Amino acid sequence: MAKAKVTFLDIGVTVSVPVGTRVIEISEKVGAGLIYGCREGDCGTCLMKVEDGWNNLTEPSVVEEKVLRENMAGKHCRLACQAQVLGDIVVRPA
Amino acid sequence: MTRSAYAAAQPDAVALSERVHWIGALDPTLRTFDIILKTANGTSYNAYLVRGSDGVAVIDTVKEAFAGEFFTRLESVADYSEIRYIVLNHLEPDHTGALPELMRRAPQAHLYISVRAQAMLKALLKHDQYEYTAVNTGDSISLGDRTLSFLNTPYLHWPDTQCTWLEEEQTLFSGDVFGCHYCDARLFNDRVGDFRFSFEYYYAHIMRPFREYVFKALALIEPLALKTIAPSHGPILRDQPAQYPAHYRRLATPALSSEIGGEKSLLIFYISSYGNTARMAEAIYGSASEVEGVRASLYDLEGGEIAPFVDLIEEADGIMFGTPTINGDAVKPVWDLLSSLAVVHTRGKIAAAFGSFGWSGEAVRMVEDRLKGLKMEVPVAGLRIKLIPSDEELDACRGFGTAIGRALIGEDEQTVVDMA
């Protein structure tokens, strides 16, 4: 199975994971500071800033795009509960 | 004086100049604003009307319940058919409550809002028929011999907030910036009672969390040759108007930075029932202090008041909380401080929690969740010790203090985990 590295800058932890894993699942296990609410892409609580590897995540859905817009998310921000890892990324809570 | 007596005593618009009128409303009996703010003598909802050679602009409206006063005052200086523009500096309901009725009475008027107000307009007014133009710093609209230009001042105190500058009158319609909850029918700062407390209280609760944005806004406002500042609450500032931006700059400037210098400030707060969490705190404090570039401070919450600690946290780079667990929870003095941090900027500070416990020790995780909720970074998992810390456990405390100190100076250890 293909692997990718996810680095959480806030806790200085890099995790090797199978491609396709949602960021929130990894964050929760290693105790990074990505807090979450609904885990369904609706509340916007798990907003994260992708510091590196922006293109190594699945494309945001129409619903995620809407939530990002409503939360006035900055450039290169995604919802950790929606974005699935395709390659190496570096993230921190937004 | 009651609300109706105020309105009856002064039913007409009040002139700021020949071309600018106050058409707002007074709310002298309000005692709590937005749940959180005390208003000892009420507030005002200031709206203004500007007359140019080529039409009239209305700047902001009032809370819906005060629409009657607003329209009476508007009608005393203009006809609805003359209104070309309606400018909304801020979409909060106390300034947009009368908008739907104003749009009904002046359907030809065109709305001007800030770029970031667009998403809020529909959500607040539940009306998607309004046509509007979104404006940014540098945009302007002409009323013939009068020009309104816009200054984008986000987060003072909502994302949508902007100020509107009337160049020919050197008047800044500043929205909530430089406002305060102070109701006085004499309206102007050289005539009203002593509103200094209200001005600072308003800043402390409304603007303080957005300090970095205050500086950005001041950079736009300070170069203006101000003759009058016309905010959306409280007195109109026509006497020495420049002193108010200067006061905002003083209020927003960190007081401690000159003393700490280039070091990182780490505050360690603790409270302890039997001295166990205190011993942890002292060990952590000792080792964190030894990290070069870190200035650590230790405070027993039992001996302090909340407000000065909030001031300290605003300036700090790192914060640690030590709490015992009592009945499955962190103790009240810890929550009291943690629930008082909404008025300061906490995002991105380094934070950690620790504590001794007797049975179950939930408090540390609860405090960590709160710290993350405040958007602080929690780089090291909290340290929990059952009852009296042993020598080995005190060593762990020292390691914990060192790890937090190193995280503060950007030298924290990188961990690699394999979940593949």
Side-chain angles (χ1 to χ4, degrees):
Chain A
M1 185 181 288
K3 295 178 187 177
K5 282 186 182 142
V6 179
T7 300
F8 297 96
L9 282 180
D10 62 320
I11 55 170
V13 171
T14 299
V15 191
S16 177
V17 298
V19 163
T21 313
R22 288 179 195 274
V23 177
I24 196 72
E25 291 166 23
I26 315 160
S27 159
E28 194 182 6
K29 282 187 180 148
V30 298
L34 289 170
I35 52 170
Y36 57 85
C38 69
R39 295 181 73 118
E40 292 176 352
D42 190 40
C43 71
T45 309
C46 63
L47 198 66
M48 64 176 179
K49 175 91 187 289
V50 185
E51 300 281 1
D52 203 11
W54 168 250
N55 292 317
N56 292 338
L57 288 166
T58 48
E59 291 284 317
S61 66
V62 173
V63 176
E64 185 184 348
E65 292 274 21
K66 178 170 174 282
V67 172
L68 291 171
R69 215 167 34 246
E70 285 172 350
N71 283 279
M72 287 178 261
K75 197 180 175 190
H76 292 179
C77 282
R78 292 290 305 271
L79 299 181
C81 72
Q82 297 299 298
Q84 291 168 270
V85 179
L86 298 177
D88 295 354
I89 56 164
V90 178
V91 300
R92 64 162 67 245
Chain B
M1 197 186 287
T2 64
R3 178 183 156 189
S4 56
Y6 255 96
Q10 189 175 282
D12 291 342
V14 177
L16 278 69
S17 73
E18 191 185 327
R19 300 293 195 90
V20 182
H21 283 82
W22 175 83
I23 54 170
L26 301 171
D27 188 357
T29 57
L30 187 79
R31 291 294 172 265
T32 307
F33 186 91
D34 262 7
I35 308 169
I36 55 167
L37 289 179
K38 294 293 177 193
T39 50
N41 68 344
T43 191
S44 57
Y45 312 107
N46 296 332
Y48 302 93
L49 186 139
V50 179
R51 178 174 291 280
S53 59
D54 196 13
V56 159
V58 171
I59 299 176
D60 293 325
T61 75
V62 300
K63 199 172 178 178
E64 188 175 12
F66 293 77
E69 278 183 51
F70 166 73
F71 289 121
T72 301
R73 291 193 172 102
L74 190 158
E75 288 164 13
S76 73
V77 282
D79 188 86
Y80 293 109
S81 64
E82 297 179 285
I83 301 172
R84 284 185 65 191
Y85 307 130
I86 297 170
V87 175
L88 300 175
N89 281 333
H90 173 32
L91 264 57
E92 208 170 356
D94 52 327
H95 308 297
T96 52
L99 181 70
E101 179 60 17
L102 179 60
M103 293 298 285
R104 198 187 65 76
R105 296 184 187 199
Q108 77 288 348
H110 192 74
L111 270 180
Y112 287 83
I113 60 176
S114 77
V115 173
R116 286 198 156 178
Q118 297 174 82
M120 293 179 177
L121 187 68
K122 188 178 169 186
L124 268 170
L125 301 173
K126 304 301 177 201
H127 194 308
D128 52 11
Q129 301 302 311
Y130 296 134
E131 288 190 8
Y132 63 83
T133 299
V135 290
N136 210 331
T137 302
D139 292 336
S140 62
I141 50 177
S142 175
L143 289 165
D145 60 357
R146 292 292 182 274
T147 310
L148 296 173
S149 53
F150 303 100
L151 310 176
N152 194 241
T153 55
Y155 295 104
L156 296 185
H157 62 116
W158 271 19
D160 67 319
T161 42
Q162 64 174 357
C163 298
T164 302
W165 172 239
L166 176 54
E167 173 72 34
E168 294 84 354
E169 307 265 349
Q170 293 169 276
T171 296
L172 182 71
F173 301 99
S174 59
D176 281 349
V177 185
F178 311 124
C180 64
H181 291 309
Y182 188 87
C183 182
D184 192 320
R186 293 168 290 188
L187 286 187
F188 296 96
N189 66 327
D190 51 314
R191 296 177 63 198
V192 301
D194 193 335
F195 67 101
R196 286 175 297 179
F197 164 78
S198 303
F199 187 88
E200 294 198 357
Y201 178 79
Y202 190 89
Y203 174 88
H205 287 81
I206 301 293
M207 302 298 169
R208 184 179 178 183
F210 308 104
R211 192 165 69 182
E212 61 185 297
Y213 292 97
V214 170
F215 288 121
K216 287 179 183 171
L218 288 175
L220 294 174
I221 292 168
E222 284 170 334
L224 303 174
L226 292 166
K227 190 175 161 193
T228 305
I229 296 175
S232 57
H233 292 292
I236 297 164
L237 309 167
R238 67 180 179 186
D239 181 43
Q240 303 180 66
Q243 74 164 323
Y244 295 94
H247 196 45
Y248 259 40
R249 186 167 283 282
R250 276 194 296 277
L251 291 170
T253 300
L256 274 181
S257 53
S258 59
E259 296 170 30
I260 295 290
E263 291 180 302
K264 298 289 184 185
S265 170
L266 171 65
L267 310 180
I268 304 166
F269 298 97
Y270 72 93
I271 193 160
S272 191
S273 307
Y274 294 104
N276 297 325
T277 299
R279 290 171 69 192
M280 292 179 72
E282 281 158 12
I284 290 165
Y285 168 64
S287 62
S289 299
E290 286 171 9
V291 177
E292 195 172 340
V294 173
R295 179 89 63 99
S297 311
L298 185 64
Y299 303 99
D300 185 346
L301 284 171
E302 197 180 344
E305 301 279 340
I306 295 292
F309 286 152
V310 173
D311 292 347
L312 288 178
I313 288 170
E314 183 175 31
E315 308 296 340
D317 302 293
I319 306 144
M320 300 178 78
F321 285 90
T323 175
T325 299
I326 296 183
N327 291 339
D329 199 353
V331 294
K332 188 169 182 298
V334 171
W335 288 127
D336 285 346
L337 182 52
L338 282 170
S339 63
S340 302
L341 298 180
V343 297
V344 295
H345 186 79
T346 53
R347 180 188 290 264
K349 293 182 192 291
I350 298 288
F354 60 91
S356 164
F357 64 96
W359 310 340
S360 46
E362 294 91 339
V364 169
R365 299 285 177 264
M366 289 176 166
V367 169
E368 278 188 306
D369 284 347
R370 173 64 177 158
L371 296 171
K372 289 176 185 174
L374 288 164
K375 299 286 185 186
M376 295 195 231
E377 293 189 0
V378 182
V380 184
L383 186 59
R384 299 155 70 242
I385 288 174
K386 192 166 174 74
L387 292 169
I388 300 170
S390 65
D391 288 345
E392 291 77 24
E393 286 168 331
L394 285 174
D395 277 344
C397 292
R398 283 186 274 274
F400 188 64
T402 303
I404 293 298
R406 292 178 66 81
L408 267 172
I409 59 170
E411 291 184 1
D412 38 338
E413 285 179 18
Q414 299 296 306
T415 309
V416 177
V417 179
D418 192 350
M419 282 171 48

